[in-house]
Coordinates of all heavy atoms in Angstrom, one line a residue:
M946 N 10.8 -14.5 13.5 CA 11.0 -14.0 12.2 C 10.6 -12.5 12.1 O 9.5 -12.1 12.7 CB 10.1 -14.8 11.2 CG 10.4 -14.5 9.7 SD 9.2 -15.3 8.6 CE 7.8 -14.3 8.7
A947 N 11.4 -11.7 11.5 CA 11.1 -10.3 11.4 C 9.9 -10.1 10.4 O 9.7 -10.8 9.5 CB 12.3 -9.6 10.8
D948 N 9.1 -9.0 10.8 CA 8.0 -8.7 9.9 C 8.5 -8.2 8.6 O 9.5 -7.4 8.5 CB 7.1 -7.6 10.6 CG 6.3 -8.2 11.7 OD1 6.0 -9.4 11.7 OD2 6.0 -7.4 12.6
H949 N 7.9 -8.5 7.5 CA 8.2 -8.0 6.2 C 7.0 -7.2 5.7 O 5.9 -7.8 5.5 CB 8.5 -9.1 5.2 CG 9.0 -8.6 3.9 ND1 8.4 -9.1 2.7 CD2 9.9 -7.7 3.6 CE1 9.0 -8.4 1.7 NE2 9.9 -7.6 2.2
V950 N 7.1 -5.9 5.6 CA 6.0 -5.1 5.2 C 6.4 -4.4 3.9 O 7.4 -3.8 3.8 CB 5.8 -4.0 6.3 CG1 4.6 -3.1 5.9 CG2 5.5 -4.7 7.6
V951 N 5.5 -4.5 3.0 CA 5.6 -3.8 1.7 C 4.4 -2.9 1.5 O 3.3 -3.2 1.7 CB 5.6 -4.9 0.5 CG1 5.7 -4.2 -0.8 CG2 6.8 -5.8 0.7
L952 N 4.7 -1.7 1.0 CA 3.7 -0.7 0.7 C 3.7 -0.5 -0.8 O 4.7 0.0 -1.4 CB 3.9 0.6 1.4 CG 3.0 1.8 1.1 CD1 1.5 1.4 1.4 CD2 3.4 3.0 1.9
L953 N 2.5 -0.8 -1.4 CA 2.4 -0.4 -2.8 C 1.7 1.0 -2.9 O 0.6 1.1 -2.3 CB 1.5 -1.4 -3.6 CG 1.9 -2.9 -3.4 CD1 1.0 -3.8 -4.3 CD2 3.4 -3.1 -3.9
G954 N 2.3 1.9 -3.5 CA 1.8 3.3 -3.5 C 1.9 3.9 -4.8 O 2.3 3.3 -5.8
F955 N 1.5 5.2 -4.9 CA 1.6 6.1 -6.0 C 2.0 7.4 -5.4 O 1.2 8.0 -4.7 CB 0.3 6.0 -6.8 CG 0.3 7.0 -8.0 CD1 1.2 6.9 -9.0 CD2 -0.7 7.9 -8.1 CE1 1.2 7.8 -10.1 CE2 -0.8 8.8 -9.2 CZ 0.2 8.7 -10.2
W956 N 3.2 8.0 -5.7 CA 3.7 9.1 -4.9 C 2.7 10.2 -4.8 O 2.7 10.8 -3.7 CB 5.1 9.5 -5.5 CG 5.1 10.1 -6.8 CD1 5.2 9.5 -8.0 CD2 4.8 11.5 -7.1 NE1 5.1 10.4 -9.0 CE2 4.9 11.7 -8.5 CE3 4.6 12.6 -6.3 CZ2 4.7 12.9 -9.1 CZ3 4.4 13.9 -6.9 CH2 4.5 14.0 -8.3
P957 N 1.9 10.7 -5.8 CA 1.0 11.8 -5.5 C -0.2 11.5 -4.7 O -1.0 12.4 -4.4 CB 0.6 12.3 -6.9 CG 1.3 11.4 -7.9 CD 1.8 10.2 -7.2
S958 N -0.4 10.2 -4.4 CA -1.7 9.8 -3.8 C -1.9 10.2 -2.4 O -1.1 9.9 -1.5 CB -1.8 8.3 -3.9 OG -2.9 7.8 -3.0
P959 N -2.9 11.0 -2.1 CA -3.2 11.4 -0.7 C -3.5 10.2 0.2 O -3.2 10.2 1.4 CB -4.4 12.3 -0.8 CG -5.0 12.0 -2.0 CD -4.0 11.5 -3.0
F960 N -4.1 9.1 -0.4 CA -4.4 7.9 0.4 C -3.1 7.2 0.8 O -3.0 6.7 1.9 CB -5.3 7.0 -0.4 CG -6.5 7.7 -0.9 CD1 -6.7 8.0 -2.2 CD2 -7.6 8.0 0.0 CE1 -7.8 8.7 -2.7 CE2 -8.7 8.6 -0.5 CZ -8.8 9.0 -1.8
G961 N -2.2 7.2 -0.1 CA -0.9 6.6 0.2 C -0.1 7.4 1.2 O 0.5 6.8 2.1
M962 N -0.2 8.7 1.1 CA 0.5 9.6 2.1 C -0.1 9.4 3.5 O 0.6 9.3 4.5 CB 0.3 11.1 1.6 CG 1.1 12.0 2.5 SD 2.8 11.6 2.6 CE 3.4 12.0 0.9
R963 N -1.4 9.2 3.5 CA -2.1 8.9 4.8 C -1.5 7.7 5.5 O -1.1 7.7 6.7 CB -3.6 8.7 4.6 CG -4.3 8.1 5.7 CD -5.7 7.7 5.3 NE -6.6 8.8 5.2 CZ -7.8 8.8 4.5 NH1 -8.1 7.7 3.8 NH2 -8.6 9.8 4.5
L964 N -1.2 6.7 4.7 CA -0.7 5.5 5.2 C 0.8 5.6 5.6 O 1.2 5.1 6.6 CB -0.9 4.4 4.2 CG -0.6 3.0 4.6 CD1 -1.2 2.6 6.0 CD2 -1.1 2.0 3.6
R965 N 1.5 6.3 4.7 CA 2.9 6.5 5.0 C 3.1 7.3 6.3 O 4.0 7.0 7.1 CB 3.6 7.3 3.9 CG 3.6 6.4 2.6 CD 4.2 7.1 1.4 NE 5.7 7.1 1.5 CZ 6.4 7.4 0.5 NH1 5.9 7.8 -0.7 NH2 7.7 7.4 0.6
I966 N 2.2 8.2 6.6 CA 2.3 9.0 7.9 C 2.0 8.0 9.0 O 2.7 8.1 10.1 CB 1.3 10.2 7.8 CG1 1.8 11.2 6.9 CG2 1.1 10.8 9.2 CD1 0.8 12.3 6.5
A967 N 1.0 7.2 8.9 CA 0.6 6.3 9.9 C 1.8 5.3 10.2 O 2.1 5.0 11.4 CB -0.6 5.5 9.5
L968 N 2.4 4.8 9.2 CA 3.5 3.9 9.4 C 4.7 4.6 10.0 O 5.4 4.0 10.9 CB 3.9 3.3 8.0 CG 2.9 2.3 7.4 CD1 3.3 2.0 6.0 CD2 2.7 1.1 8.2
A969 N 4.9 5.8 9.6 CA 6.0 6.6 10.3 C 5.7 6.8 11.7 O 6.6 6.7 12.6 CB 6.2 7.9 9.5
E970 N 4.5 7.2 12.1 CA 4.2 7.4 13.5 C 4.3 6.2 14.3 O 4.7 6.2 15.5 CB 2.7 7.9 13.6 CG 2.5 9.4 13.2 CD 1.1 9.9 13.4 OE1 0.2 9.0 13.6 OE2 0.9 11.1 13.3
K971 N 4.1 5.0 13.7 CA 4.2 3.7 14.4 C 5.6 3.2 14.4 O 5.9 2.2 15.0 CB 3.2 2.7 13.9 CG 1.8 3.1 14.1 CD 0.8 2.1 13.6 CE -0.6 2.5 13.8 NZ -1.6 1.5 13.6
G972 N 6.5 3.8 13.6 CA 7.9 3.4 13.5 C 8.0 2.1 12.7 O 8.9 1.3 13.0
V973 N 7.1 1.8 11.8 CA 7.1 0.6 11.0 C 8.1 0.7 9.8 O 7.9 1.7 9.1 CB 5.7 0.2 10.5 CG1 5.8 -1.1 9.7 CG2 4.8 0.0 11.7
Q974 N 9.0 -0.2 9.7 CA 9.9 -0.2 8.6 C 9.2 -0.9 7.5 O 8.6 -1.9 7.7 CB 11.2 -0.9 8.9 CG 12.0 -0.3 10.1 CD 12.6 1.0 9.7 OE1 13.2 1.2 8.6 NE2 12.4 2.0 10.6
Y975 N 9.4 -0.4 6.3 CA 8.7 -1.1 5.1 C 9.4 -0.8 3.8 O 10.2 0.1 3.7 CB 7.2 -0.6 5.0 CG 7.1 0.9 4.8 CD1 7.0 1.4 3.5 CD2 7.0 1.8 5.8 CE1 6.9 2.8 3.2 CE2 6.9 3.1 5.6 CZ 6.8 3.6 4.3 OH 6.7 5.0 4.1
E976 N 9.1 -1.7 2.9 CA 9.7 -1.5 1.5 C 8.6 -0.8 0.7 O 7.5 -1.3 0.7 CB 10.0 -2.9 1.0 CG 10.5 -2.9 -0.4 CD 10.7 -4.4 -1.0 OE1 10.6 -5.3 -0.2 OE2 10.9 -4.5 -2.2
Y977 N 9.0 0.3 0.1 CA 8.0 1.0 -0.7 C 8.2 0.7 -2.2 O 9.3 0.7 -2.7 CB 8.2 2.5 -0.5 CG 7.3 3.4 -1.3 CD1 5.9 3.4 -1.0 CD2 7.7 4.1 -2.4 CE1 5.0 4.2 -1.7 CE2 6.8 4.8 -3.2 CZ 5.5 4.9 -2.8 OH 4.6 5.6 -3.5
K978 N 7.1 0.4 -2.8 CA 7.1 0.2 -4.3 C 6.1 1.1 -4.9 O 4.9 1.0 -4.7 CB 6.7 -1.3 -4.6 CG 7.7 -2.3 -4.1 CD 7.4 -3.7 -4.6 CE 8.5 -4.7 -4.0 NZ 8.3 -6.0 -4.5
D979 N 6.6 2.0 -5.8 CA 5.7 3.0 -6.4 C 5.1 2.3 -7.7 O 5.8 1.7 -8.5 CB 6.5 4.2 -6.8 CG 5.7 5.4 -7.0 OD1 5.0 5.8 -6.0 OD2 5.6 6.0 -8.1
E980 N 3.8 2.5 -7.8 CA 3.1 1.9 -9.0 C 2.9 2.8 -10.1 O 2.7 4.0 -9.9 CB 1.7 1.4 -8.5 CG 1.7 0.2 -7.6 CD 2.0 -1.1 -8.4 OE1 1.7 -1.1 -9.6 OE2 2.5 -2.0 -7.8
D981 N 3.0 2.3 -11.3 CA 2.5 3.1 -12.5 C 1.1 2.7 -12.7 O 0.8 1.5 -13.1 CB 3.4 2.6 -13.7 CG 2.9 3.3 -15.0 OD1 1.9 4.0 -15.0 OD2 3.6 3.1 -16.0
L982 N 0.2 3.6 -12.4 CA -1.3 3.3 -12.4 C -1.8 3.0 -13.8 O -2.9 2.5 -14.0 CB -2.1 4.3 -11.7 CG -1.8 4.5 -10.2 CD1 -2.7 5.5 -9.5 CD2 -1.9 3.1 -9.5
R983 N -1.0 3.4 -14.8 CA -1.4 3.0 -16.2 C -0.9 1.7 -16.6 O -1.3 1.2 -17.7 CB -0.9 4.1 -17.2 CG -1.6 5.5 -17.0 CD -0.8 6.5 -17.8 NE 0.5 6.6 -17.2 CZ 1.5 7.5 -17.7 NH1 1.2 8.3 -18.7 NH2 2.7 7.5 -17.1
N984 N -0.1 1.1 -15.8 CA 0.5 -0.2 -16.1 C 0.8 -0.9 -14.8 O 1.9 -1.0 -14.3 CB 1.8 0.0 -16.9 CG 2.4 -1.3 -17.3 OD1 1.7 -2.4 -17.4 ND2 3.7 -1.4 -17.5
K985 N -0.3 -1.3 -14.2 CA -0.3 -1.8 -12.8 C 0.5 -3.1 -12.7 O 0.4 -4.0 -13.6 CB -1.7 -2.0 -12.2 CG -2.4 -0.7 -12.1 CD -3.9 -0.8 -11.8 CE -4.5 0.5 -11.7 NZ -6.0 0.4 -11.5
S986 N 1.3 -3.3 -11.7 CA 2.1 -4.5 -11.5 C 1.3 -5.7 -11.2 O 0.2 -5.6 -10.6 CB 3.1 -4.3 -10.4 OG 2.5 -4.3 -9.2
P987 N 1.8 -6.9 -11.6 CA 1.1 -8.1 -11.2 C 0.9 -8.2 -9.7 O -0.1 -8.7 -9.2 CB 2.1 -9.2 -11.7 CG 2.8 -8.6 -12.8 CD 3.0 -7.1 -12.4
L988 N 1.9 -7.7 -8.9 CA 1.7 -7.7 -7.5 C 0.5 -6.9 -7.0 O -0.3 -7.4 -6.1 CB 3.0 -7.2 -6.8 CG 3.0 -7.3 -5.3 CD1 2.8 -8.7 -4.7 CD2 4.3 -6.7 -4.7
L989 N 0.3 -5.8 -7.6 CA -0.9 -4.9 -7.2 C -2.2 -5.7 -7.7 O -3.1 -5.7 -6.9 CB -0.8 -3.6 -7.9 CG -2.1 -2.7 -7.7 CD1 -2.4 -2.5 -6.3 CD2 -1.9 -1.4 -8.4
L990 N -2.2 -6.2 -8.9 CA -3.4 -6.8 -9.4 C -3.8 -8.1 -8.5 O -4.9 -8.4 -8.3 CB -3.3 -7.2 -10.8 CG -3.0 -6.0 -11.8 CD1 -2.8 -6.4 -13.2 CD2 -4.2 -5.0 -11.7
Q991 N -2.7 -8.7 -8.1 CA -2.9 -9.9 -7.2 C -3.3 -9.5 -5.8 O -4.1 -10.2 -5.2 CB -1.6 -10.7 -7.2 CG -1.6 -11.9 -6.4 CD -0.1 -12.4 -6.2 OE1 0.6 -12.4 -7.2 NE2 0.3 -12.9 -5.1
S992 N -2.8 -8.4 -5.3 CA -3.0 -8.0 -3.9 C -4.4 -7.3 -3.7 O -4.9 -7.4 -2.6 CB -1.9 -7.1 -3.5 OG -0.7 -7.6 -3.7
N993 N -4.8 -6.6 -4.7 CA -6.1 -5.9 -4.6 C -6.9 -6.2 -5.9 O -7.1 -5.3 -6.8 CB -5.8 -4.4 -4.5 CG -7.1 -3.7 -4.1 OD1 -8.2 -4.2 -4.0 ND2 -7.0 -2.4 -3.9
P994 N -7.3 -7.5 -6.1 CA -7.9 -7.9 -7.4 C -9.2 -7.3 -7.7 O -9.6 -7.2 -8.9 CB -8.0 -9.4 -7.2 CG -8.1 -9.7 -5.8 CD -7.3 -8.6 -5.1
V995 N -10.0 -6.8 -6.7 CA -11.3 -6.2 -7.0 C -11.2 -4.8 -7.4 O -11.6 -4.4 -8.5 CB -12.2 -6.4 -5.8 CG1 -13.6 -5.7 -6.0 CG2 -12.5 -7.8 -5.4
H996 N -10.6 -3.9 -6.6 CA -10.5 -2.5 -6.9 C -9.3 -2.1 -7.7 O -9.3 -1.0 -8.3 CB -10.6 -1.7 -5.6 CG -11.9 -2.0 -4.9 ND1 -13.2 -1.6 -5.4 CD2 -12.2 -2.6 -3.7 CE1 -14.1 -2.0 -4.6 NE2 -13.6 -2.6 -3.6
K997 N -8.2 -2.9 -7.5 CA -6.9 -2.6 -8.2 C -6.4 -1.2 -7.9 O -5.8 -0.6 -8.8 CB -7.1 -2.8 -9.8 CG -7.7 -4.1 -10.2 CD -8.0 -4.2 -11.6 CE -8.5 -5.6 -12.1 NZ -9.8 -5.9 -11.6
K998 N -6.6 -0.8 -6.7 CA -6.1 0.5 -6.3 C -5.0 0.5 -5.3 O -4.9 -0.5 -4.5 CB -7.3 1.3 -5.7 CG -8.3 1.7 -6.7 CD -9.4 2.6 -6.2 CE -10.4 3.0 -7.2 NZ -11.3 4.0 -6.8
V999 N -4.2 1.6 -5.2 CA -3.3 1.7 -4.1 C -3.8 2.7 -3.1 O -4.7 3.5 -3.5 CB -1.9 2.3 -4.7 CG1 -1.3 1.3 -5.6 CG2 -2.1 3.6 -5.4
P1000 N -3.4 2.7 -1.9 CA -2.3 1.9 -1.4 C -2.8 0.5 -1.0 O -3.9 0.3 -0.7 CB -1.9 2.7 -0.1 CG -3.1 3.3 0.3 CD -3.9 3.7 -0.9
V1001 N -1.8 -0.4 -1.0 CA -2.0 -1.7 -0.5 C -0.8 -2.0 0.5 O 0.3 -1.7 0.1 CB -2.0 -2.8 -1.6 CG1 -2.1 -4.2 -1.0 CG2 -3.2 -2.6 -2.6
L1002 N -1.1 -2.5 1.6 CA -0.1 -2.9 2.6 C 0.0 -4.4 2.6 O -1.0 -5.1 2.8 CB -0.5 -2.4 4.0 CG 0.6 -2.4 5.1 CD1 1.7 -1.4 4.8 CD2 0.0 -2.2 6.4
I1003 N 1.2 -4.9 2.4 CA 1.4 -6.4 2.4 C 2.2 -6.7 3.6 O 3.4 -6.3 3.7 CB 2.0 -6.9 1.1 CG1 1.2 -6.3 -0.1 CG2 2.1 -8.4 1.1 CD1 1.8 -6.6 -1.4
H1004 N 1.6 -7.4 4.6 CA 2.3 -7.7 5.8 C 2.6 -9.2 5.9 O 1.6 -10.0 5.9 CB 1.5 -7.3 7.0 CG 2.1 -7.6 8.3 ND1 1.4 -7.5 9.5 CD2 3.4 -7.9 8.7 CE1 2.2 -7.9 10.5 NE2 3.4 -8.1 10.0
N1005 N 3.8 -9.6 5.8 CA 4.2 -11.0 5.8 C 3.3 -11.8 4.7 O 2.8 -12.9 5.0 CB 4.0 -11.6 7.2 CG 5.1 -11.1 8.1 OD1 6.1 -10.6 7.7 ND2 4.8 -11.2 9.4
G1006 N 3.1 -11.2 3.6 CA 2.4 -11.8 2.5 C 0.9 -11.6 2.5 O 0.3 -12.0 1.5
K1007 N 0.4 -11.0 3.5 CA -1.1 -10.8 3.6 C -1.4 -9.4 3.2 O -0.9 -8.4 3.8 CB -1.6 -11.1 5.0 CG -1.6 -12.6 5.3 CD -2.3 -12.8 6.7 CE -2.3 -14.3 7.0 NZ -2.8 -14.6 8.3
A1008 N -2.2 -9.2 2.2 CA -2.5 -7.9 1.6 C -3.7 -7.3 2.3 O -4.7 -8.0 2.5 CB -2.7 -8.0 0.1
V1009 N -3.6 -6.0 2.6 CA -4.7 -5.2 3.1 C -4.8 -4.0 2.3 O -3.8 -3.3 2.1 CB -4.5 -4.8 4.6 CG1 -5.7 -4.1 5.2 CG2 -4.2 -6.0 5.5
S1010 N -6.0 -3.7 1.8 CA -6.3 -2.4 1.1 C -7.2 -1.5 1.8 O -7.7 -1.9 2.9 CB -6.8 -2.8 -0.3 OG -8.0 -3.5 -0.2
E1011 N -7.4 -0.3 1.3 CA -8.2 0.8 1.9 C -7.3 1.4 3.0 O -7.0 0.8 4.1 CB -9.5 0.3 2.5 CG -10.6 0.0 1.5 CD -10.9 1.2 0.6 OE1 -10.9 2.4 1.1 OE2 -11.1 1.1 -0.6
S1012 N -6.9 2.6 2.7 CA -5.9 3.3 3.5 C -6.3 3.4 5.0 O -5.5 3.3 5.9 CB -5.6 4.7 3.0 OG -6.7 5.4 2.8
L1013 N -7.6 3.7 5.3 CA -8.0 3.8 6.6 C -7.9 2.5 7.4 O -7.7 2.5 8.6 CB -9.5 4.3 6.7 CG -9.7 5.8 6.3 CD1 -11.2 6.2 6.3 CD2 -8.9 6.7 7.3
I1014 N -8.1 1.4 6.7 CA -8.0 0.1 7.4 C -6.5 -0.3 7.5 O -6.1 -0.7 8.6 CB -8.8 -0.9 6.6 CG1 -10.2 -0.6 6.6 CG2 -8.6 -2.3 7.2 CD1 -11.1 -1.4 5.7
C1015 N -5.7 -0.1 6.5 CA -4.3 -0.4 6.6 C -3.6 0.3 7.7 O -2.8 -0.3 8.4 CB -3.6 0.1 5.3 SG -4.1 -0.7 3.8
G1016 N -4.0 1.5 8.0 CA -3.3 2.3 9.1 C -3.7 1.8 10.4 O -3.0 2.1 11.4
K1017 N -4.7 0.9 10.5 CA -5.1 0.5 11.9 C -4.7 -1.0 12.1 O -4.6 -1.3 13.3 CB -6.7 0.5 11.9 CG -7.2 1.9 12.0 CD -8.7 1.9 12.1 CE -9.2 3.4 12.1 NZ -10.6 3.5 11.9
V1018 N -4.4 -1.8 11.1 CA -4.2 -3.2 11.3 C -2.8 -3.5 11.8 O -2.7 -4.5 12.5 CB -4.6 -4.1 10.1 CG1 -6.0 -4.0 9.8 CG2 -3.7 -3.6 8.9
H1019 N -1.8 -2.7 11.4 CA -0.5 -3.2 11.8 C -0.2 -2.9 13.2 O -0.5 -1.9 13.8 CB 0.6 -2.5 10.9 CG 1.9 -3.2 11.0 ND1 2.7 -3.0 12.0 CD2 2.4 -4.1 10.2 CE1 3.8 -3.7 11.8 NE2 3.7 -4.4 10.7
Ligands
GSH861 N1 -10.6 4.5 -0.7 C1 -9.3 4.1 -1.2 C2 -9.0 5.0 -2.3 C3 -7.7 4.6 -3.1 C4 -7.6 5.3 -4.4 O1 -8.6 5.9 -4.9 N2 -6.4 5.2 -5.0 C5 -6.2 5.7 -6.3 C6 -4.9 6.5 -6.3 S1 -5.1 8.1 -5.4 C7 -5.9 4.6 -7.3 O2 -5.3 3.6 -7.0 N3 -6.4 4.8 -8.5 C8 -6.2 3.8 -9.6 C9 -7.4 3.4 -10.3 O3 -8.5 3.9 -9.9 O4 -7.3 2.6 -11.3 C10 -8.3 4.2 0.0 O5 -8.5 5.0 0.9 O6 -7.3 3.5 0.0

């Protein structure tokens, strides 16, 4: 089964950009979903229920938050 990777981000976020660069360097294809941080999506709230921050990387349904960690796990 092909990997399904989703990145929840916010376009001006330097943390999100850090992760996008890491994914690009690794050649990882992903679906990008931009968040409205004043109206966070149910997917973001479910994926990062404690901090409710982006970026969040969702790999085959498993969510990882914190940009420095996301960039290392895939
Ligand atoms: N330490 C986190 C910081 C993430 C962070 O601060 N994200 C901001 C956007 S730049 C955010 O989601 N803010 C929304 C909020 O605080 O409600 C990381 O490296 O991923």
Side-chain angles (χ1 to χ4, degrees):
M946 187 185 83
D948 286 332
H949 185 232
V950 181
V951 177
L952 172 61
L953 306 183
F955 175 56
W956 68 268
S958 166
F960 305 105
M962 185 55 67
R963 167 192 280 162
L964 188 48
R965 294 176 79 166
I966 291 168
L968 292 170
E970 283 185 346
K971 294 182 181 194
V973 176
Q974 301 290 314
Y975 60 92
E976 178 185 352
Y977 179 72
K978 295 187 178 181
D979 204 61
E980 286 287 331
D981 175 354
L982 296 183
R983 291 168 299 180
N984 182 24
K985 296 173 182 175
S986 73
L988 182 58
L989 173 58
L990 299 177
Q991 177 189 320
S992 305
N993 190 358
V995 175
H996 299 295
K997 305 176 177 66
K998 291 186 176 188
V999 293
V1001 176
L1002 191 70
I1003 306 172
H1004 180 197
N1005 292 338
K1007 291 187 178 175
V1009 184
S1010 54
E1011 287 299 321
S1012 56
L1013 285 176
I1014 296 172
C1015 297
K1017 291 181 180 166
V1018 294
H1019 196 279

